[in-house]
Amino acid sequence: MEKVIGALGEAFMEANSGVNFTYNPTGSGSGITAVSEGRCDIGLSSRALKDSEVASGLVGTVLAYDGIAMIVNPANTVEDLDIETIAKIYTGEITNWSEVGGADAEIVLVGREAGSGTRSAVEELLGLEDVDESFVAGVMDATSGVIQSVKGNDAAIGYISYGSMSTDVKALQVDGVACSAETVKDGSYAISRPFLVVTKEGSTNEAAQKFIDYMLSDAGQKIVTDSNYVSVK
Protein backbone atom coordinates (compact mmCIF):
# COMPACT_ATOMS: atom_id res chain seq x y z
CA MET A 1 0.00 0.00 0.00
CA GLU A 2 3.06 2.25 0.19
CA LYS A 3 2.60 4.02 -3.16
CA VAL A 4 -1.04 4.97 -2.77
CA ILE A 5 -0.84 5.89 0.93
CA GLY A 6 2.22 8.08 0.32
CA ALA A 7 0.38 9.97 -2.43
CA LEU A 8 -2.75 10.34 -0.29
CA GLY A 9 -0.74 11.60 2.68
CA GLU A 10 1.07 14.25 0.64
CA ALA A 11 -2.17 15.51 -0.90
CA PHE A 12 -3.87 15.58 2.51
CA MET A 13 -1.10 17.68 4.08
CA GLU A 14 -1.21 20.13 1.18
CA ALA A 15 -4.93 20.60 1.75
CA ASN A 16 -4.67 20.76 5.58
CA SER A 17 -1.93 23.07 6.82
CA GLY A 18 -0.82 22.28 10.34
CA VAL A 19 -1.53 18.57 10.08
CA ASN A 20 1.58 16.40 10.00
CA PHE A 21 1.35 12.98 8.32
CA THR A 22 4.02 10.35 8.96
CA TYR A 23 3.98 6.88 7.47
CA ASN A 24 6.06 3.83 8.28
CA PRO A 25 5.56 1.21 5.54
CA THR A 26 5.55 -2.22 7.18
CA GLY A 27 3.81 -5.53 6.60
CA SER A 28 0.10 -5.72 7.41
CA GLY A 29 0.70 -7.67 10.61
CA SER A 30 2.94 -4.94 12.01
CA GLY A 31 0.48 -2.19 11.07
CA ILE A 32 -2.44 -3.98 12.71
CA THR A 33 -0.42 -4.61 15.87
CA ALA A 34 0.69 -0.97 16.03
CA VAL A 35 -2.85 0.40 15.97
CA SER A 36 -4.02 -2.29 18.39
CA GLU A 37 -1.31 -1.24 20.86
CA GLY A 38 -2.03 2.48 20.39
CA ARG A 39 1.32 3.26 18.75
CA CYS A 40 -0.30 4.85 15.69
CA ASP A 41 -3.63 6.41 14.79
CA ILE A 42 -4.24 4.38 11.64
CA GLY A 43 -2.94 0.98 10.67
CA LEU A 44 -2.91 -0.32 7.13
CA SER A 45 -3.68 -3.81 5.95
CA SER A 46 -3.65 -5.41 2.53
CA ARG A 47 -5.82 -8.27 3.79
CA ALA A 48 -9.17 -8.53 5.51
CA LEU A 49 -9.16 -8.44 9.30
CA LYS A 50 -9.39 -11.75 11.11
CA ASP A 51 -12.37 -12.47 13.35
CA SER A 52 -10.10 -12.30 16.40
CA GLU A 53 -8.86 -8.85 15.36
CA VAL A 54 -12.40 -7.56 14.94
CA ALA A 55 -13.33 -9.06 18.32
CA SER A 56 -10.46 -7.12 19.92
CA GLY A 57 -12.03 -3.83 18.85
CA LEU A 58 -10.32 -3.17 15.54
CA VAL A 59 -12.31 -1.66 12.67
CA GLY A 60 -11.35 -2.06 9.03
CA THR A 61 -12.56 0.43 6.42
CA VAL A 62 -12.06 -0.53 2.78
CA LEU A 63 -10.01 2.11 0.96
CA ALA A 64 -9.55 0.31 -2.35
CA TYR A 65 -9.47 -3.10 -3.97
CA ASP A 66 -6.47 -4.82 -5.47
CA GLY A 67 -5.81 -7.90 -7.52
CA ILE A 68 -2.81 -10.13 -6.81
CA ALA A 69 -1.03 -10.90 -10.04
CA MET A 70 0.74 -14.23 -10.43
CA ILE A 71 3.88 -13.27 -12.33
CA VAL A 72 6.42 -15.20 -14.38
CA ASN A 73 9.39 -14.31 -16.54
CA PRO A 74 8.33 -12.94 -19.95
CA ALA A 75 10.17 -15.87 -21.59
CA ASN A 76 7.82 -18.37 -19.90
CA THR A 77 5.35 -19.77 -22.45
CA VAL A 78 2.64 -20.54 -19.88
CA GLU A 79 -0.21 -18.02 -20.08
CA ASP A 80 -2.96 -19.32 -17.78
CA LEU A 81 -3.20 -21.36 -14.56
CA ASP A 82 -6.22 -22.24 -12.48
CA ILE A 83 -6.46 -21.72 -8.73
CA GLU A 84 -5.99 -25.39 -7.90
CA THR A 85 -2.83 -25.61 -10.00
CA ILE A 86 -1.32 -22.49 -8.43
CA ALA A 87 -2.02 -23.94 -4.99
CA LYS A 88 -0.31 -27.20 -5.96
CA ILE A 89 2.73 -25.27 -7.18
CA TYR A 90 3.03 -23.41 -3.87
CA THR A 91 2.74 -26.62 -1.83
CA GLY A 92 5.36 -28.43 -3.92
CA GLU A 93 2.91 -30.92 -5.45
CA ILE A 94 3.70 -29.56 -8.93
CA THR A 95 7.41 -28.87 -9.40
CA ASN A 96 8.10 -28.67 -13.14
CA TRP A 97 6.72 -26.28 -15.75
CA SER A 98 6.24 -29.20 -18.13
CA GLU A 99 3.43 -30.43 -15.85
CA VAL A 100 1.40 -27.32 -16.72
CA GLY A 101 2.23 -27.03 -20.42
CA GLY A 102 5.51 -25.17 -20.17
CA ALA A 103 9.18 -25.97 -20.71
CA ASP A 104 10.97 -28.82 -18.95
CA ALA A 105 12.31 -26.74 -16.07
CA GLU A 106 12.05 -26.96 -12.31
CA ILE A 107 9.67 -24.29 -10.99
CA VAL A 108 11.42 -21.68 -8.83
CA LEU A 109 9.05 -20.27 -6.22
CA VAL A 110 9.34 -16.70 -5.01
CA GLY A 111 7.24 -15.61 -2.02
CA ARG A 112 6.89 -12.92 0.62
CA GLU A 113 7.91 -12.85 4.26
CA ALA A 114 5.69 -13.89 7.17
CA GLY A 115 3.50 -10.92 8.14
CA SER A 116 3.14 -9.71 4.56
CA GLY A 117 -0.48 -8.90 3.72
CA THR A 118 0.08 -10.09 0.17
CA ARG A 119 1.31 -13.46 1.39
CA SER A 120 -1.59 -13.78 3.86
CA ALA A 121 -4.08 -12.96 1.12
CA VAL A 122 -2.53 -15.49 -1.27
CA GLU A 123 -2.64 -18.21 1.37
CA GLU A 124 -6.28 -17.47 2.18
CA LEU A 125 -7.46 -17.10 -1.42
CA LEU A 126 -5.66 -20.25 -2.57
CA GLY A 127 -6.94 -22.28 0.36
CA LEU A 128 -3.50 -22.75 1.92
CA GLU A 129 -3.08 -22.83 5.67
CA ASP A 130 0.52 -21.79 5.22
CA VAL A 131 3.16 -21.68 2.51
CA ASP A 132 5.82 -24.27 3.31
CA GLU A 133 8.98 -22.22 2.90
CA SER A 134 11.04 -25.32 2.20
CA PHE A 135 9.58 -25.14 -1.33
CA VAL A 136 10.18 -21.39 -1.72
CA ALA A 137 13.55 -20.48 -3.24
CA GLY A 138 13.31 -16.79 -2.35
CA VAL A 139 11.38 -15.13 0.48
CA MET A 140 11.34 -11.40 -0.19
CA ASP A 141 10.45 -8.58 2.19
CA ALA A 142 9.33 -6.22 -0.58
CA THR A 143 7.48 -6.32 -3.90
CA SER A 144 10.56 -5.01 -5.71
CA GLY A 145 12.48 -8.10 -4.61
CA VAL A 146 9.82 -10.41 -6.03
CA ILE A 147 9.84 -8.57 -9.38
CA GLN A 148 13.63 -8.64 -9.65
CA SER A 149 13.80 -12.33 -8.75
CA VAL A 150 11.22 -13.29 -11.38
CA LYS A 151 12.78 -10.98 -13.96
CA GLY A 152 16.12 -12.72 -13.46
CA ASN A 153 14.95 -16.33 -13.72
CA ASP A 154 13.05 -17.88 -16.65
CA ALA A 155 11.65 -20.61 -14.37
CA ALA A 156 10.45 -18.39 -11.52
CA ILE A 157 6.92 -17.60 -10.38
CA GLY A 158 5.87 -15.05 -7.79
CA TYR A 159 2.98 -12.83 -6.74
CA ILE A 160 2.62 -9.06 -6.46
CA SER A 161 -0.05 -6.42 -6.19
CA TYR A 162 -1.77 -5.48 -9.45
CA GLY A 163 -0.94 -1.85 -8.75
CA SER A 164 2.77 -2.73 -8.72
CA MET A 165 2.81 -4.52 -12.07
CA SER A 166 5.97 -4.05 -14.10
CA THR A 167 6.81 -4.59 -17.75
CA ASP A 168 9.80 -6.61 -16.50
CA VAL A 169 7.48 -9.55 -15.74
CA LYS A 170 4.38 -11.22 -17.21
CA ALA A 171 1.08 -11.63 -15.37
CA LEU A 172 -0.64 -14.98 -15.85
CA GLN A 173 -4.35 -15.30 -16.39
CA VAL A 174 -6.07 -17.12 -13.54
CA ASP A 175 -8.90 -19.45 -14.55
CA GLY A 176 -8.88 -17.74 -17.94
CA VAL A 177 -9.30 -14.23 -16.52
CA ALA A 178 -6.65 -11.50 -16.75
CA CYS A 179 -5.92 -9.35 -13.69
CA SER A 180 -7.26 -5.85 -14.41
CA ALA A 181 -9.12 -3.06 -12.66
CA GLU A 182 -12.34 -4.20 -14.30
CA THR A 183 -12.02 -7.89 -13.37
CA VAL A 184 -11.00 -7.08 -9.79
CA LYS A 185 -13.95 -4.72 -9.34
CA ASP A 186 -16.54 -7.08 -10.84
CA GLY A 187 -15.16 -10.07 -8.92
CA SER A 188 -14.35 -12.22 -11.94
CA TYR A 189 -10.62 -12.27 -11.12
CA ALA A 190 -10.28 -14.82 -8.34
CA ILE A 191 -7.18 -13.58 -6.51
CA SER A 192 -8.23 -10.17 -5.23
CA ARG A 193 -8.34 -8.46 -1.84
CA PRO A 194 -9.32 -5.26 -0.03
CA PHE A 195 -6.95 -2.52 1.09
CA LEU A 196 -8.00 -1.46 4.59
CA VAL A 197 -7.38 1.43 6.91
CA VAL A 198 -7.51 0.00 10.42
CA THR A 199 -8.53 1.91 13.53
CA LYS A 200 -9.38 1.01 17.10
CA GLU A 201 -13.01 1.47 18.00
CA GLY A 202 -13.56 4.66 20.00
CA SER A 203 -9.92 5.77 19.71
CA THR A 204 -9.80 7.66 16.40
CA ASN A 205 -8.80 11.30 16.88
CA GLU A 206 -10.16 14.19 14.82
CA ALA A 207 -7.19 14.51 12.46
CA ALA A 208 -7.07 10.77 11.78
CA GLN A 209 -10.79 10.66 11.03
CA LYS A 210 -10.42 13.64 8.73
CA PHE A 211 -7.70 11.77 6.81
CA ILE A 212 -9.90 8.67 6.50
CA ASP A 213 -12.74 10.84 5.20
CA TYR A 214 -10.35 12.41 2.69
CA MET A 215 -9.16 9.01 1.44
CA LEU A 216 -12.78 8.01 0.76
CA SER A 217 -13.69 11.33 -0.89
CA ASP A 218 -13.82 11.83 -4.64
CA ALA A 219 -10.41 13.51 -4.54
CA GLY A 220 -8.91 10.67 -2.52
CA GLN A 221 -10.42 7.98 -4.69
CA LYS A 222 -9.01 9.70 -7.79
CA ILE A 223 -5.55 9.24 -6.25
CA VAL A 224 -6.43 5.57 -5.69
CA THR A 225 -7.26 5.07 -9.37
CA ASP A 226 -4.27 7.16 -10.50
CA SER A 227 -2.11 4.74 -8.47
CA ASN A 228 -3.50 1.80 -10.50
CA TYR A 229 -5.75 0.45 -7.75
CA VAL A 230 -9.52 -0.05 -7.86
CA SER A 231 -11.75 2.59 -6.28
CA VAL A 232 -14.46 1.61 -3.82
CA LYS A 233 -16.84 3.99 -5.65
Side-chain angles (χ1 to χ4, degrees):
M1 297 177 68
E2 182 174 358
K3 179 172 66 173
V4 66
I5 292 297
L8 285 164
E10 289 179 10
F12 181 71
M13 284 193 295
E14 287 178 6
N16 295 272
S17 59
V19 175
N20 186 38
F21 170 87
T22 58
Y23 171 46
N24 179 22
T26 65
S28 298
S30 297
I32 291 169
T33 298
V35 73
S36 180
E37 295 177 350
R39 293 186 281 111
C40 66
D41 297 302
I42 298 171
L44 302 169
S45 177
S46 54
R47 63 163 174 82
L49 292 178
K50 300 174 182 177
D51 290 344
S52 59
E53 292 165 341
V54 174
S56 72
L58 296 183
V59 177
T61 301
V62 179
L63 165 65
Y65 293 99
D66 181 39
I68 299 173
M70 303 304 304
I71 59 170
V72 295
N73 188 282
N76 195 318
T77 58
V78 174
E79 300 290 339
D80 184 8
L81 294 174
D82 60 37
I83 287 283
E84 183 179 358
T85 298
I86 296 170
K88 288 179 178 179
I89 287 173
Y90 269 92
T91 56
E93 189 173 341
I94 293 175
T95 60
N96 195 294
W97 283 110
S98 63
E99 297 176 69
V100 294
D104 182 11
E106 290 292 315
I107 298 173
V108 176
L109 297 176
V110 181
R112 287 292 305 276
E113 81 286 3
S116 158
T118 308
R119 171 172 164 167
S120 295
V122 166
E123 291 176 356
E124 179 180 350
L125 292 166
L126 295 184
L128 307 175
E129 291 186 1
D130 195 12
V131 174
D132 185 339
E133 291 191 9
S134 66
F135 296 108
V136 181
V139 178
M140 305 296 165
D141 60 5
T143 295
S144 58
V146 176
I147 292 172
Q148 290 304 309
S149 294
V150 173
K151 175 186 176 182
N153 192 320
D154 290 359
I157 184 172
Y159 49 81
I160 62 172
S161 163
Y162 161 74
S164 300
M165 263 305 295
S166 165
T167 55
D168 289 332
V169 294
K170 179 176 75 173
L172 297 174
Q173 292 185 26
V174 176
D175 289 317
V177 179
C179 183
S180 69
E182 292 75 19
T183 59
V184 169
K185 194 164 190 173
D186 68 20
S188 59
Y189 183 74
I191 311 179
S192 59
R193 58 176 172 172
F195 276 175
L196 304 181
V197 290
V198 181
T199 54
K200 196 164 187 178
E201 192 171 5
S203 301
T204 308
N205 63 42
E206 183 179 350
Q209 185 59 54
K210 192 172 183 180
F211 181 48
I212 293 171
D213 293 341
Y214 174 76
M215 288 190 283
L216 296 174
S217 70
D218 289 344
Q221 288 296 297
K222 183 179 185 303
I223 292 173
V224 167
T225 56
D226 287 348
S227 300
N228 293 325
Y229 296 105
V230 182
S231 171
V232 295
K233 294 191 173 182

